[in-house]
Amino acid sequence: MKIAVALIYAALLAGCTSTTTTTTTTARATDTSQNVIPIAISAPLDASGPVDVTATLNRLRAENGRGPLAEDPRLSTAARDYAALMARTGHFSHTGPSGSTFGQRARAAGYPCPRAENIAFGPMSDAQVIANWMTSPGHRRNILLRDARDFGFGSVDDKFVLILGRGC
């Protein structure tokens, strides 16, 4: 009888599946304010669906001992406009076709203290882009900057831009 109950219970549990599967990897990155710090990376295995960019960035930052970011509409405007420019022209660089920098683009949108920019291209979802950035040392470092307080995110077609700001 106990075996029959155990088998039924096991069969019921086998039917339960989690809708979110994550993997966690530990990497090491250099931080200018401290020598070397361990960084945990937690990215969804199935990153094809819609994602709340703010929640995802803040989850990744919290997992790594960083404070939360707030979306700033000025940075989002600069990010979206630059993604649109890259999509329209086929240009892909941190330096704009006219020679502009991410800092100049953020200040032109009214944000005074830009700190870093991540860009990406390809047929990906927002979640896949963020997961890919977290596997790249430079992009991950930007997302986890200790002094970052604000962000803006924009995507147009297959171009993605994240701008981080210091919140001054």
Side-chain angles (χ1 to χ4, degrees), residues 54 57-58 61 67-71 143 145 148-151 164-165:
T54 303
L57 292 173
N58 285 334
R61 288 177 59 83
L69 299 173
E71 183 173 8
I143 290 170
L145 285 168
R149 300 291 176 264
D150 301 319
F151 81 95
L164 297 138

Side-chain angles (χ1 to χ4, degrees), residues 49-79:
V51 66
D52 179 336
V53 173
T54 303
T56 301
L57 292 173
N58 285 334
R59 177 181 55 82
L60 292 166
R61 288 177 59 83
E63 288 172 357
N64 290 282
R66 305 299 194 268
L69 299 173
E71 183 173 8
D72 186 285
R74 299 167 295 181
L75 289 176
S76 288
T77 295

Side-chain angles (χ1 to χ4, degrees), residues 31-97:
D31 183 313
T32 57
S33 64
Q34 309 224 345
N35 289 336
V36 177
I37 55 172
I39 295 180
I41 302 167
S42 176
L45 289 177
D46 177 14
S48 59
V51 66
D52 179 336
V53 173
T54 303
T56 301
L57 292 173
N58 285 334
R59 177 181 55 82
L60 292 166
R61 288 177 59 83
E63 288 172 357
N64 290 282
R66 305 299 194 268
L69 299 173
E71 183 173 8
D72 186 285
R74 299 167 295 181
L75 289 176
S76 288
T77 295
R80 224 176 4 262
D81 289 352
Y82 193 54
L85 174 70
M86 290 193 296
R88 186 174 63 253
T89 65
H91 181 80
F92 183 74
S93 173
H94 289 285
T95 304

Side-chain angles (χ1 to χ4, degrees), residues 20-24 42-45 59:
T20 304
T21 305
T22 61
T23 60
T24 302
S42 176
L45 289 177
R59 177 181 55 82

Side-chain angles (χ1 to χ4, degrees), residues 105-117:
R105 293 186 293 272
R107 284 188 284 279
Y111 189 87
C113 303
R115 179 68 168 86
E117 175 184 68

